[in-house]
Amino acid sequence: MNVVDPLNYAIKVLTSVSFDKELFKKELIKARKKLLPYDLEKLNLWLKDFIQNKPELNSQELDFSY
């Protein structure tokens, strides 16, 4: 039985949809609803690093308060 790590799955999905800001935001909302607080912290760290190189993903529109 394959167990999928929810954080890694969320990162994989977010990376694959990063070409579209609206889709990225929708997937980010889904991920935040499913992840545990510990994983949310890791996701936010990853997100801050990831969007530094993606000007099309305006960080002002992404809420890091989760």
Side-chain angles (χ1 to χ4, degrees):
M1 181 172 151
N2 287 337
V3 176
V4 178
D5 174 30
L7 176 61
N8 287 332
Y9 179 76
I11 290 172
K12 183 177 179 179
V13 170
L14 289 167
T15 302
S16 69
V17 300
S18 64
F19 64 92
D20 182 314
K21 183 167 49 172
E22 291 305 313
L23 186 54
F24 186 85
K25 286 168 56 176
K26 287 180 184 178
E27 291 298 330
L28 182 58
I29 290 167
K30 281 193 223 176
R32 286 178 167 162
K33 288 179 181 177
K34 294 179 181 179
L35 294 175
L36 297 173
Y38 178 75
D39 286 334
L40 284 174
E41 290 178 28
K42 289 181 176 182
L43 179 67
N44 281 334
L45 291 174
W46 172 85
L47 182 61
K48 288 177 184 178
D49 184 54
F50 183 74
I51 63 173
Q52 283 183 3
N53 300 321
K54 302 271 187 202
E56 64 274 14
L57 299 175
N58 184 349
S59 64
Q60 294 174 346
E61 294 181 14
L62 299 176
D63 183 7
F64 293 102
S65 64
Y66 291 87

